[in-house]
Amino acid sequence: MIIKIIQHLISFILLVIIQVVVLNHIQWSGYINPYIYILFILLLPVETPKWLLLLSGFILGISIDMFSNTSGLHAAATVALAFARPGMLNLLAPRDGYDAETRISPQTMGVKWFLTYLILLTSIHHLVLFYLEVFRFSEFFITFFKSILNVIVSVLLMFMGQYLFGKDAARNERIF
């Protein structure tokens, strides 16, 4: 149990560092800025209690906000993501449900399921984040376009990262 907590803490710290040091400085035309730090919430075990998801989402978001100087935008979007995650897991649940030790990854859940999961929850996060950032509907379509572009780039980076650096990647398992 303590080892799992330490592993999650290390992944939290690594994702925040990667986001703050590398990805926050990548901006293409002012529209695309990938956000992969949400992978921490997305990959938490299925049996994680809802209160812990919300607390983790807030701490993760406020950590990014402190380094990005965005005064709560990431915290609000990440809490919205953590709030939506259990419902999305129920929506995408297999017939038999999830095992207690189910690990969310493309290797265990399948590529189609994993991509659907990533796209839906990343879309929720990004839409909340970008609409809170603009905070007006006069730029509705520009903000929506910006959100979709960021979802595409973020999902590609998260999926490639999971495929290349996930725990099962070393075993060269076939994921299709």
Side-chain angles (χ1 to χ4, degrees):
M1 179 70 165
I2 300 240
I3 292 175
K4 286 186 179 183
I5 293 172
I6 291 172
Q7 288 173 342
H8 289 302
L9 188 61
I10 289 171
S11 72
F12 177 92
I13 292 168
L14 284 175
L15 284 169
V16 168
I17 288 172
I18 291 169
Q19 184 66 48
V20 169
V21 173
V22 178
L23 296 176
N24 278 359
H25 300 290
I26 295 175
Q27 285 195 355
W28 296 303
S29 303
Y31 280 99
I32 298 175
N33 186 3
Y35 296 109
I36 66 160
Y37 71 92
I38 62 173
L39 199 56
F40 176 76
I41 298 294
L42 297 176
L43 296 181
L44 283 174
V46 173
E47 71 272 0
T48 304
K50 293 177 185 177
W51 66 269
L52 186 58
L53 271 175
L54 293 172
L55 182 63
S56 299
F58 177 74
I59 292 170
L60 178 64
I62 206 73
S63 299
I64 298 296
D65 283 329
M66 285 190 300
F67 290 111
S68 303
N69 225 6
T70 51
S71 65
L73 293 177
H74 290 278
T78 310
V79 168
L81 166 71
F83 182 79
R85 182 181 180 257
M88 199 61 66
L89 284 173
N90 286 338
L91 182 68
L92 298 173
R95 286 186 189 181
D96 302 333
Y98 300 104
D99 295 331
E101 294 294 320
T102 300
R103 193 169 132 322
I104 297 177
S105 71
Q107 292 83 5
T108 58
M109 303 305 291
V111 173
K112 182 180 175 184
W113 185 95
F114 188 74
L115 276 176
T116 304
Y117 174 75
L118 275 182
I119 290 168
L120 291 174
L121 285 173
T122 304
S123 297
I124 290 170
H125 175 269
H126 284 33
L127 287 169
V128 170
L129 178 69
F130 290 119
Y131 279 111
L132 281 177
E133 181 181 41
V134 172
F135 208 69
R136 63 181 171 271
F137 286 113
S138 63
E139 299 176 15
F140 180 83
F141 292 108
I142 293 171
T143 306
F144 188 76
F145 178 69
K146 183 178 177 180
S147 298
I148 297 304
L149 282 176
N150 280 290
V151 165
I152 292 168
V153 172
S154 297
V155 165
L156 283 173
L157 286 175
M158 288 187 284
F159 184 75
M160 288 183 344
Q162 272 300 293
Y163 185 66
L164 295 174
F165 303 112
K167 289 183 180 181
D168 295 331
R171 286 194 257 155
N172 290 329
E173 288 185 18
R174 196 169 167 200
I175 61 173
F176 291 99

